[in-house]
Structures are given as C-alpha cells and as structure tokens.
Amino acid sequence: MKDILNRMLNHEDLSREETRDILLGITKSEFPNEQITALLTALQMRGVTVEELLGFRDGILQTGVPALLDCDRYIDVVGTGGDRKNTFNISTTACFVIAGAGYKVAKHGNYAATSTSGASNVIANHGVMFTDDLDKLNRSLNECGIVYLHAQLFAKAMKFVGPIRKALQFPTVFNLLGPIVNPSQPKCQLLGVANLDQMRLYHHVYQRIGIDYGIVHSIDGYDEISLTGDFKVTTNTYERVFRPQDLGFSIAKPEELVGGATEEEAKEIFDRVLENTALPAQKNIVLANAAFGIQVLEKGQKSIEECIDIARESIDSGRALATFKKFVELNS
C-alpha cells in the first residue's frame, strides 16, 4: 500500500488487477484505516479511471454473494444518488411498471443515503423481508417478473469500509460502485447519474462490461429523468438531448418530485403512482424512466414513443399494481 500511495501522489493510474487486489486486501484487514482513508481521498481528488473502477467492481463481486437467476435477460433500473434532490422512489416505481408490462426485472438497492427513502426503505415499509435465498429469489422472478436484491446481503466487502466512508463525509469511489455490483450481473441496465462526468465514466464502463445500457441525466442536476427540463440519454446506439415536450410530457415542477419528509410520505407517493392516483407529473416521470428502461430491454428496436405507450398501459391496466401486490405476497 505504501507503494500504491506513492504512485497516487505522482498522479499515476492503477491497473484493474491492482484495485481488485486492494479491495481483497481491505476485506482481509491487511491495511490500516489511515492508509485506506488516504487512498480513497487521493482517488476522489484525482478522479477514478475506468480500469480502477472495474477493478474495485471485480473485488466486490469476487468477495460477495452471487445471485444466480433463472433468466437470461432482465433489467435493473438504478440511480447513483447524491443529487441532493430528495425525490420520491422513481427508479423503484419504474421497475414495477416495467415488470407489469411483462418484462423481467432484478432491482438492486439499499437504504437511503442522501434522501428520505431509498429502494430498500420503501420496499421494507410494505412488509417485504429481504433474502439471499436463491429459491425464493427465483420464485419471485418467475411468478411476478421482479426480484429485489438488498445490497447489504450480497456486497460483503462494503461493511469493511462503512465506518471510513461515514467518517470521511464526502463521496468516494464506493459511491460509484453501487450501480455496477448487482450480484445477478444483469445484461441490461438503466442508470441515472448526477452529472455529465459520471455519464462519460459509466458509458466507458458499460462498454467494457459488454451489456445493453441506457444512462440518463437531467441537465438541471437530477440523477434520473425528472421532466423538469432537458435531459440527456446515452445508450449503446445513440446519444441525444431530449425535451419533455419531445415525449409529449409537460414540464414538471421540482416540488412535484419531492419524496416527502418521512418514509411514510414516500411510501404513499409510490403507492399512488401504481394505483394511478398520483399527480400527473409524478406518473409522467415514472413513465419516462420506465420507457427508456423498456427501450434498453428491446435493444433499441422500439421507438421511445412505443415504449411510453407500453409503460402507460402497465399502469392504466392495473398490471403494475397487481405485479407489486403479488411481489409483496411472495416476499413477506
């Protein structure tokens, strides 16, 4: 580690193998906390490279619990977090809309870090019990089209750096790892990022991993399609800036996206979207994010307008809500 830190001071890049080995060493308590702190700080100041991020990912997947699902093609919809916007559970709601439309979803998530309610919060507040039991996970995927993978049950390495991350009080490379360490390693992913630098980074990461992807960023800083203004989308096949009007949506007001002051308020918004009683803006935001997820699953073969229609039908027909109710029944 002393050699690694000296190289960091000289602004040298680390290899994929080196960062994987560092992660493995951290899980074996080979390095004092002071050295790990110095490394994370140096990486944050310089900026992590694609190879370095992939190496940390390799280490987390190698030391974690795999989730082997009985399905070849499914999607995860996730955001990096950290946009400080405290939106309601847009990605999680979109996942149930996608599953209600007949597609398969493996949602990877955790408790909230910077907002009122994270994916695990809103799901646990409906009585769902998290599990890493493969039979239960596959039953959920097969019978209702969606499975939830609570990150803390799978990424065992994260607990070794938890106290350091909490003490540092600023984002580290581990904040970037959450979206790419889904233990089922899906072949499709829709990712919301908080800035354009992250969009470029993940674009290269996904190309190296070799999956079908969509990366979205709202220009005014949301790590999802907020419909509060223009947003950028990068996929395997195109890169484009959209306006809400391009998709037939009105511009949303920031206050219409807020997830509330309590977990219960966030839960109520989640429920209302699936019950088709939410504010028009709340429904539209979920439709937009679900639609781009569907387009990723369809390998870009369907227009975004077609994908919006599919997502809308999932909510309007009640299938999204029925899918969620079945999910709760199977996982409680």
Side-chain angles (χ1 to χ4, degrees):
M1 181 59 86
K2 183 179 178 181
D3 175 59
I4 292 287
L5 292 174
N6 280 325
R7 288 172 55 199
M8 294 295 296
L9 290 173
N10 290 325
H11 306 285
E12 295 179 34
D13 293 345
L14 305 178
S15 70
R16 182 170 180 171
E17 292 74 19
E18 285 173 323
T19 51
R20 181 204 63 201
D21 290 344
I22 288 169
L23 194 286
L24 298 179
I26 289 173
T27 64
K28 297 173 185 174
S29 301
E30 292 179 359
F31 312 121
N33 286 350
E34 292 81 359
Q35 289 185 338
I36 300 172
T37 300
L39 175 70
L40 295 180
T41 303
L43 279 172
Q44 192 66 17
M45 291 177 69
R46 187 253 280 158
V48 68
T49 67
V50 171
E51 289 295 304
E52 290 164 348
L53 191 60
L54 286 170
F56 282 117
R57 174 182 184 264
D58 293 341
I60 286 180
L61 292 175
Q62 186 175 327
T63 56
V65 177
L68 305 175
L69 301 179
D70 299 334
C71 181
D72 185 55
R73 191 167 181 81
Y74 49 88
I75 195 168
D76 184 10
V77 182
V78 65
T80 55
D83 62 7
R84 306 286 176 178
K85 301 290 190 181
N86 192 33
T87 52
F88 72 95
N89 302 93
I90 295 169
S91 296
T92 308
T93 316
C95 282
F96 286 96
V97 174
I98 293 170
Y103 300 93
K104 300 292 188 183
V105 179
K107 170 66 176 155
H108 181 230
N110 210 336
Y111 293 118
T114 57
S115 60
T116 299
S117 177
S120 290
N121 299 90
V122 75
I123 287 188
N125 283 329
H126 285 87
V128 169
M129 305 294 290
F130 302 132
T131 183
D132 60 2
D133 183 296
L134 283 179
D135 289 337
K136 292 180 180 178
L137 296 175
N138 277 303
R139 183 184 176 204
S140 182
L141 186 64
N142 292 329
E143 293 191 21
C144 68
I146 185 168
V147 61
Y148 186 74
L149 306 170
H150 178 55
Q152 294 180 17
L153 295 178
F154 298 92
K156 300 298 185 182
M158 289 299 196
K159 68 180 180 181
F160 291 92
V161 294
I164 295 172
R165 294 176 67 194
K166 190 171 184 179
L168 285 176
Q169 293 288 300
F170 59 76
T172 71
V173 64
F174 288 97
N175 293 73
L176 298 173
L177 284 166
I180 55 173
V181 293
N182 183 318
S184 71
Q185 298 188 50
K187 294 180 181 177
C188 304
Q189 190 161 45
L190 183 74
L191 172 66
V193 296
N195 57 62
L196 293 175
D197 287 339
Q198 288 182 356
M199 177 171 273
R200 284 187 287 271
L201 175 66
Y202 285 110
H203 169 66
H204 293 298
V205 166
Y206 283 136
Q207 287 185 323
R208 291 292 306 279
I209 296 173
I211 66 172
D212 293 325
Y213 64 90
I215 310 170
V216 302
H217 169 64
S218 291
I219 305 302
D220 53 359
Y222 288 89
D223 70 333
E224 51 224 338
I225 299 169
S226 65
L227 299 183
T228 51
D230 293 357
F231 60 94
K232 187 173 183 179
V233 179
T234 297
T235 74
N236 303 72
T237 55
Y238 71 84
E239 184 173 318
R240 179 182 165 185
V241 174
F242 291 87
R243 300 174 304 159
Q245 302 94 305
D246 295 335
L247 307 180
F249 293 127
S250 301
I251 294 178
K253 299 174 183 177
E255 57 266 28
E256 294 176 308
L257 280 68
V258 175
T262 66
E263 290 186 18
E264 182 60 31
E265 289 179 22
K267 173 178 177 286
E268 289 172 3
I269 297 171
F270 173 90
D271 290 343
R272 286 198 294 268
V273 175
L274 295 181
E275 291 164 357
N276 205 12
T277 60
L279 296 174
Q282 293 169 337
K283 177 181 176 180
N284 289 344
I285 289 154
V286 170
L287 289 176
N289 285 274
F292 279 95
I294 290 168
Q295 191 178 54
V296 171
L297 280 158
E298 293 284 359
K299 287 184 172 287
Q301 298 302 304
K302 289 187 183 295
S303 70
I304 195 59
E305 291 78 12
E306 290 176 285
C307 296
I308 291 170
D309 288 342
I310 293 169
R312 192 185 305 277
E313 174 65 16
S314 177
I315 293 180
D316 291 351
S317 67
R319 287 202 301 268
L321 180 60
T323 295
F324 180 66
K325 287 182 174 178
K326 182 67 174 177
F327 169 80
V328 173
E329 176 190 325
L330 289 170
N331 292 279
S332 297

